[in-house]
Amino acid sequence: MKIINKEVLSDIQGTKITELVVLAPEIAEKARPGQFVVLMASEKGERIPLTVVDVDKNKGSVTLIFQEVGLTTRSLGRLNSGDALYALAGPLGHPTEIKNYGEIILIAGGVGIAEIYPVAKALKGAGNQITIILGARTRGLLILEKELKSLSHEFFVTTDDGSYEKKGFVTDVLAELLAKNKYDLVYAVGPIPMMQKVSLLTKGLGVKTVVSLNPLMVDATGMCGSCRVSVGNEVKFSCVDGPEFDAGLIDWDELIKRNSVYLDKEKHICRLNNPS
Ligand code: FAD
Ligand code: FES
Ligand code: MG
C-alpha cells in the first residue's frame, strides 16, 4: 500500500484537495465505478471511506482524491510519495449500474467531482449522452474540469462566488435543463443539501435519480450500523447496500441528523491533535 504519487490539486481558502496514487494490485484489478475503499492512514488512526477514482491495472495502482476536512484526512494529507498507508481494504459497496440509459445528467459538487469521474467515464463508454454540471465554492477548487469536459456532450460549471462560469448553484442549471429537455437519468454526488435539492427537483418531474451517499462509516462491512439510512420503508446500510440509492426514496432529514452525531467529538479530537 505504498503511495507512488502525490499531487495537491487545490489548496486555497483553507481547503486542500489531494490526489494519491497507491499501489494495491488486487483492488486495482477488481474495483468498478461507484465502489470505494476503506483506509487507515496510520496504526492508531480511524478507518475512513474514499471512492476509487481511477485504477491502472498495469501498474497495479488506485487513485484516491480527498479533501482535508478533519483529523484523518489531514493526517493522510501529511503522507508523501514513498510512504505507505497502514491499511487499505476494498473494493467495497455495489458498483454503479452501467448500461445505456440514453440521456444522462451527472451533477457533482466539491470533492464529489472526483467521485463522478469513474461513473461518467463508464456511462460514456456504454453509449450514453452525458451532460455534466459541476459546482465549486470558487474557481480554484474546481478539479478534473478538463477530464470531465472531454466526456460530456454539454458541460456547465457554477461557482458560489461567481469567480468562474455561472454564479450560483448546480441546481439552478439543473432546473433550466429539466425545463427544456427530457432526461433518462440524473446522477448526483456532493454535499447532502445539494443532493437533497437535486432530489426535490427531479422527484417532482418523475426523473429517475441516483445519488451516492456519504454517511458515517465505521467498519464498512455491514456490522456496526453507523451508515444506516432509511430508503422508502426499508432500513439500508450504505456500505453494503449502497452507497448509491434512489434519491426520491431517501429520508434526507434523518441522514442529515445522523451525519452530525459526532461533530462535537470530531472537532474536539481535531483541536487536541492540532493545537495551533
Ligand atoms: P472528521 O472531522 O472526522 O469528519 C468531518 C466530516 O466527515 C464529518 O462531519 C462527517 O460528515 C464526515 N465523516 C467523518 N468520519 C466519517 C466516516 N468514518 N465515514 C464517512 N464520513 C465521515 N471524501 C473525499 O474527500 N473523497 C472521496 O472520494 C470520498 N469518498 C467517500 C465515499 C464514501 C462511500 C463515503 C461514505 C464517504 C466518502 N468521503 C470522501 C468522505 C470521507 O470519508 C470523509 O470526509 C472522511 O471520513 C472525514 O474524516 P476526518 O477524520 O478527516 O474528518
Ligand atoms: Fe458499519 Fe456500514 S459502516 S454497517
Ligand atoms: Mg474523523
Side-chain angles (χ1 to χ4, degrees):
M1 281 138 331
K2 189 173 161 188
I3 297 167
I4 55 171
N5 197 45
K6 173 183 178 181
E7 190 182 341
V8 175
L9 302 181
S10 176
D11 187 4
I12 58 157
Q13 298 179 2
T15 302
K16 193 168 178 184
I17 301 177
T18 303
E19 178 184 281
L20 293 182
V21 181
V22 181
L23 273 184
E26 287 165 355
I27 299 176
E29 194 57 47
K30 293 201 179 112
R32 285 159 55 202
Q35 290 189 297
F36 63 95
V37 291
V38 162
L39 65 82
M40 287 173 75
S42 63
E43 187 180 359
K44 292 201 173 142
E46 63 180 351
R47 300 153 58 97
I48 61 158
L50 292 179
T51 301
V52 178
V53 176
D54 210 353
V55 297
D56 184 329
K57 289 186 186 175
N58 293 327
K59 283 191 187 143
S61 64
V62 297
T63 301
L64 309 173
I65 295 181
F66 63 95
Q67 181 172 333
E68 294 188 16
V69 292
L71 183 62
T72 304
T73 43
R74 278 194 198 118
S75 57
L76 193 59
R78 283 195 285 270
L79 298 180
N80 287 308
S81 196
D83 291 339
L85 300 176
Y86 176 72
L88 184 68
L92 298 166
H94 286 286
T96 308
E97 190 180 357
I98 303 297
K99 62 178 188 184
N100 193 335
Y101 294 89
E103 288 194 39
I104 303 180
I105 302 181
L106 288 149
I107 307 167
V111 77
I113 295 173
E115 300 179 47
I116 63 155
Y117 178 56
V119 175
K121 248 196 329 191
L123 288 172
K124 168 87 177 170
N128 293 285
Q129 183 171 291
I130 309 275
T131 295
I132 293 180
I133 313 171
L134 304 182
R137 224 168 59 225
T138 190
R139 180 176 192 164
L141 291 174
L142 186 65
I143 55 170
L144 301 177
E145 182 187 6
K146 190 164 50 71
E147 291 83 347
L148 284 161
K149 195 172 188 174
S150 72
L151 296 171
S152 59
H153 172 69
E154 282 194 288
F155 184 77
F156 303 89
V157 175
T158 64
T159 46
D160 298 6
D161 64 359
S163 54
Y164 187 51
E165 297 288 350
K166 192 178 164 75
K167 183 177 188 326
F169 301 108
V170 286
T171 41
D172 302 337
V173 178
L174 176 66
E176 285 167 21
L177 291 174
L178 291 175
K180 280 192 292 196
N181 227 325
K182 241 180 105 1
Y183 291 89
D184 302 293
L185 178 72
V186 169
Y187 183 100
V189 192
I192 294 175
M194 179 273 255
M195 292 192 284
Q196 184 180 22
K197 182 86 194 293
V198 167
S199 171
L200 259 176
L201 278 171
T202 56
K203 197 174 177 178
L205 296 167
V207 183
K208 181 180 163 72
T209 302
V210 172
V211 286
S212 181
L213 296 184
N214 50 2
L216 294 175
M217 288 188 184
V218 176
D219 71 295
T221 59
M223 290 193 290
C224 69
S226 65
C227 67
R228 203 177 73 209
V229 55
S230 298
V231 183
N233 292 323
E234 292 179 80
V235 170
K236 299 280 187 188
F237 288 172
S238 301
C239 63
V240 287
D241 301 318
E244 293 174 357
F245 294 104
D246 181 335
L249 298 177
I250 291 166
D251 183 339
W252 291 101
D253 294 335
E254 181 195 64
L255 180 64
I256 290 166
K257 269 194 220 130
R258 287 187 61 82
N259 252 27
S260 57
V261 152
Y262 299 114
L263 211 55
D264 287 347
K265 290 187 184 67
E266 282 156 356
K267 281 188 187 148
H268 178 63
I269 292 169
C270 213
R271 273 197 299 273
L272 287 179
N273 283 273
N274 297 282
S276 56

